[in-house]
Amino acid sequence: MKFRRSERLIDITHYLLEHPRQLVPLTFFAERYGSAKSSISEDLAIVKETFEQRGIGTLQTVPGAAGGVKYFPRVNEHEARQFIANLCDQLENPERLLPGEYLYIMDLLGNPQIVHQVGKLIASAYAGAEIDAVMTVATKGIPIAHAIAAHLNVPVVVVRRDSKVTEGPTVSINYVSGSTKRIQTMVLAKRSLKEGSKVLLVDDFMKAGGTINGMISLLAEFNATVAGIAVLVEAEYNEERLVEDYISLMKLKDVDIRQSAIKVVEGNYFTKNISFL
Amino acid sequence: MKFRRSERLIDITHYLLEHPRQLVPLTFFAERYGSAKSSISEDLAIVKETFEQRGIGTLQTVPGAAGGVKYFPRVNEHEARQFIANLCDQLENPERLLPGEYLYIMDLLGNPQIVHQVGKLIASAYAGAEIDAVMTVATKGIPIAHAIAAHLNVPVVVVRRDSKVTEGPTVSINYVSGSTKRIQTMVLAKRSLKEGSKVLLVDDFMKAGGTINGMISLLAEFNATVAGIAVLVEAEYNEERLVEDYISLMKLKDVDIRQSAIKVVEGNYFTKNISFL
């Protein structure tokens, strides 16, 4: 069965979107469509150009016998700025205010389109990094971690506050929560992370950085290393933060309970050296 | 700026994949590409044909002034069978055995490609249903719930075992766990589910159905109704189950601790009236 170019372009687009950062040999597509490799090369040139123009991502061609093509999700700067500005607006809604100056954000974390785009933005920032896994702490970070991992094509590892029978043997550590200075526990199933992994740490919210710092201590128990740190929202914090090099999409500047006012601005995302489309 | 057909097909494919079950007016694409609506209609006919042939999904065209096109994720039966058979094999690995006859499945739930496909299979089964939200209980069901919700384009609602300060006012219920007969608690943030919603209930594992039944009781507090029930794995259960009409991808037939043997077969997925591609 022969495929026309139009059909190939549609199927290649779908296939690459579902297999980011994975080397796909040209012969795979050539056999899939019964086409010459030269035709596939032309298809891929069209896909690459369109992906870049439309802010979808980019294709990297690896030459040689073991070569092929890799799709990297990437965003264009203008769209990323619009998306984050819109998220900031949503976060400033005073109805989100909860006692203790907490903000309700479960609706944002439960919205698949928002979570998907957050994942794409953060994955784009680590497009060039070597990452073996994305780690987060249950439960609010899980959707973001999965959205990032889907774009990086790596597994998600979920740390818990307590151990469960369905996890098997675990490694646990104690750490000091950054802002409240309380001793807390973190638990990770032993088999869930390979020794020596390079891990992207992710959370929905960071203030002093205690939770992230706890995950860093946990990594040490697995001889694993930090490949990056990314949070959806960081809070303004005047004391010394426990975590230095991180990416945040938004920054919570101020919460005024009496005025029912929340001030949210862009995080440090655009100050990082991200190669946008 | 004018777009060639090849570029339009790639961009339309990407756009539809990111906006399932959403009515996109033909004029949206016509303006996006500076093309005649007749050209867009031809593009969509090619996309529809290829999506159906390649097991991606289907397009539904809604005629008239308020019309447009909707993409529905769907799977083809052969691929779905292969995928589930492969999952069953993976689940039968005796290394998954934990004390108490529990199985370790965090690696499967942490694999974004597996989770994505599980979500697509379950969403396909509810392609024709009216669903306003997907609900699950923290924490293992969260990735599956998000994967389903992404394909259905509806929000995820996460029920917890205990309330947290970041959730605001909550509604809580007590329920009887099906197999252990213990009284347990479930908590849901009041603002996380609209009154009267039609909800798809999701979990990673079901034995007697106590957790699902707990979610059903919780729905009643929100005047919400069950739109469907889907689990990744159901366990063989000889007593009367608390839940009747559900979909399962796999069925755990038997766990033999002494022989270190696990028997997993297809769930009831293919006995349901699912319209495959």
Side-chain angles (χ1 to χ4, degrees):
Chain A
M1 184 178 177
K2 273 275 196 177
F3 287 81
R4 284 173 298 161
R5 163 145 294 154
S6 55
E7 294 161 335
R8 295 199 307 263
L9 292 175
I10 293 166
D11 190 60
I12 289 174
T13 298
H14 174 253
Y15 190 89
L16 291 175
L17 290 174
E18 294 218 327
H19 299 83
R21 292 187 11 138
Q22 187 173 310
L23 186 69
V24 187
L26 259 55
T27 47
F28 171 83
F29 287 126
E31 284 167 18
R32 191 173 170 100
Y33 311 126
S35 306
K37 274 166 89 171
S38 57
S39 306
I40 301 296
S41 285
E42 288 167 27
D43 294 346
L44 292 171
I46 300 171
V47 173
K48 178 182 162 72
E49 198 197 326
T50 310
F51 272 27
E52 290 176 356
Q53 260 177 25
R54 307 300 308 184
I56 298 169
T58 188
L59 303 195
Q60 202 181 75
T61 313
V62 181
V69 65
K70 265 188 198 183
Y71 155 61
F72 289 88
R74 290 251 292 276
V75 286
N76 89 35
E77 185 167 354
H78 176 67
E79 281 174 20
R81 282 196 191 276
Q82 278 193 318
F83 174 76
I84 292 181
N86 178 278
L87 266 190
C88 288
D89 281 353
Q90 292 196 49
L91 216 56
E92 286 187 337
N93 183 343
E95 288 175 13
R96 297 190 177 280
L97 264 178
L98 297 174
E101 302 196 1
Y102 288 101
L103 294 189
Y104 181 83
I105 60 167
M106 287 300 285
D107 58 327
L108 304 178
L109 297 176
N111 180 317
Q113 302 225 355
I114 289 179
V115 164
H116 176 85
Q117 195 60 18
V118 164
K120 189 168 180 188
L121 258 66
I122 294 175
S124 302
Y126 294 98
E130 264 191 74
I131 292 174
D132 301 313
V134 174
M135 177 185 274
T136 192
V137 177
T139 57
K140 296 221 303 300
I142 296 175
I144 302 174
H146 265 273
I148 298 169
H151 284 103
L152 293 175
N153 202 11
V154 298
V156 174
V157 172
V158 178
V159 176
R160 303 179 56 99
R161 303 288 182 183
D162 49 356
S163 66
K164 276 201 81 172
V165 285
T166 50
E167 302 224 299
T170 56
V171 173
S172 97
I173 58 138
N174 294 313
Y175 71 99
V176 180
S177 124
S179 33
T180 65
K181 311 281 186 216
R182 274 185 307 161
I183 299 281
Q184 304 206 32
T185 305
M186 263 185 200
V187 177
L188 183 60
K190 230 174 164 177
R191 65 178 91 185
S192 70
L193 186 65
K194 283 201 196 86
E195 286 268 318
S197 296
K198 297 178 186 69
V199 183
L200 176 60
L201 307 177
V202 172
D203 210 355
D204 60 316
F205 190 83
M206 177 174 78
K207 196 167 183 181
T211 306
I212 296 285
N213 220 34
M215 286 196 265
I216 295 173
S217 309
L218 201 48
L219 287 186
E221 300 301 316
F222 289 81
N223 291 317
T225 51
V226 181
I229 299 168
V231 298
L232 178 62
V233 188
E234 63 167 309
E236 183 88 300
Y237 190 67
N238 294 323
E239 293 168 61
E240 200 187 353
R241 223 190 271 273
L242 298 165
V243 167
E244 274 305 316
D245 195 20
Y246 62 88
I247 280 179
S248 66
L249 298 195
M250 291 180 281
K251 184 168 192 168
L252 179 60
K253 289 289 283 184
D254 192 42
V255 176
D256 186 333
I257 294 279
R258 273 176 304 175
Q259 303 278 333
S260 265
I262 306 166
K263 180 74 193 149
V264 181
V265 297
E266 254 179 20
N268 67 10
Y269 187 74
F270 295 102
T271 68
K272 298 288 168 180
N273 194 15
I274 297 166
S275 72
F276 292 101
L277 282 174
Chain B
M1 183 177 176
K2 273 273 195 178
F3 287 81
R4 284 174 298 161
R5 163 146 293 156
S6 54
E7 294 162 333
R8 294 199 307 262
L9 292 175
I10 293 166
D11 190 60
I12 288 174
T13 298
H14 173 254
Y15 190 88
L16 292 175
L17 290 173
E18 295 218 326
H19 299 83
R21 293 185 12 136
Q22 188 174 311
L23 185 70
V24 187
L26 260 56
T27 46
F28 172 83
F29 287 127
E31 283 166 19
R32 191 173 169 100
Y33 311 127
S35 306
K37 273 166 89 172
S38 57
S39 307
I40 300 296
S41 285
E42 287 166 29
D43 294 346
L44 291 171
I46 301 170
V47 172
K48 178 180 163 72
E49 198 197 328
T50 310
F51 271 26
E52 289 176 357
Q53 259 177 25
R54 307 299 308 181
I56 298 169
T58 189
L59 303 194
Q60 200 181 77
T61 312
V62 180
V69 65
K70 266 189 197 182
Y71 155 61
F72 289 87
R74 289 252 292 274
V75 287
N76 87 36
E77 185 167 355
H78 176 68
E79 281 174 19
R81 282 197 190 274
Q82 278 194 320
F83 174 76
I84 292 182
N86 177 279
L87 266 191
C88 289
D89 282 352
Q90 291 195 50
L91 215 56
E92 287 187 337
N93 182 343
E95 289 175 12
R96 297 190 177 279
L97 264 179
L98 297 174
E101 302 195 1
Y102 288 102
L103 295 188
Y104 181 83
I105 59 166
M106 286 299 285
D107 57 328
L108 304 178
L109 297 177
N111 180 318
Q113 301 223 354
I114 289 178
V115 164
H116 176 84
Q117 196 60 19
V118 165
K120 189 170 178 186
L121 258 66
I122 294 174
S124 302
Y126 294 97
E130 262 192 76
I131 292 174
D132 301 313
V134 175
M135 177 186 273
T136 191
V137 176
T139 56
K140 298 221 302 301
I142 296 175
I144 302 174
H146 265 273
I148 298 168
H151 284 103
L152 292 176
N153 203 10
V154 298
V156 174
V157 173
V158 178
V159 175
R160 304 179 57 99
R161 303 288 183 182
D162 49 357
S163 67
K164 277 200 81 172
V165 284
T166 49
E167 303 222 299
T170 57
V171 173
S172 100
I173 58 136
N174 294 313
Y175 70 101
V176 180
S177 126
S179 33
T180 65
K181 311 279 185 214
R182 274 186 307 162
I183 299 280
Q184 302 204 33
T185 305
M186 263 184 200
V187 176
L188 182 61
K190 229 173 164 178
R191 64 178 92 183
S192 69
L193 185 65
K194 283 200 197 87
E195 287 268 318
S197 297
K198 298 178 185 69
V199 184
L200 175 61
L201 307 177
V202 171
D203 210 355
D204 60 317
F205 190 82
M206 177 174 79
K207 198 169 182 179
T211 306
I212 296 284
N213 220 35
M215 285 195 268
I216 295 173
S217 309
L218 202 46
L219 286 187
E221 299 301 316
F222 288 82
N223 291 317
T225 51
V226 181
I229 299 169
V231 299
L232 179 63
V233 189
E234 64 166 310
E236 184 86 302
Y237 190 68
N238 295 324
E239 294 167 61
E240 200 188 353
R241 222 189 271 276
L242 299 166
V243 168
E244 275 305 315
D245 194 20
Y246 62 88
I247 279 180
S248 66
L249 297 195
M250 293 181 280
K251 183 168 192 167
L252 180 60
K253 288 291 281 184
D254 192 41
V255 176
D256 186 333
I257 294 278
R258 273 175 304 175
Q259 304 277 335
S260 266
I262 306 166
K263 181 73 192 150
V264 181
V265 299
E266 253 178 22
N268 68 8
Y269 187 75
F270 296 101
T271 68
K272 297 290 171 181
N273 195 15
I274 297 166
S275 72
F276 292 101
L277 283 174

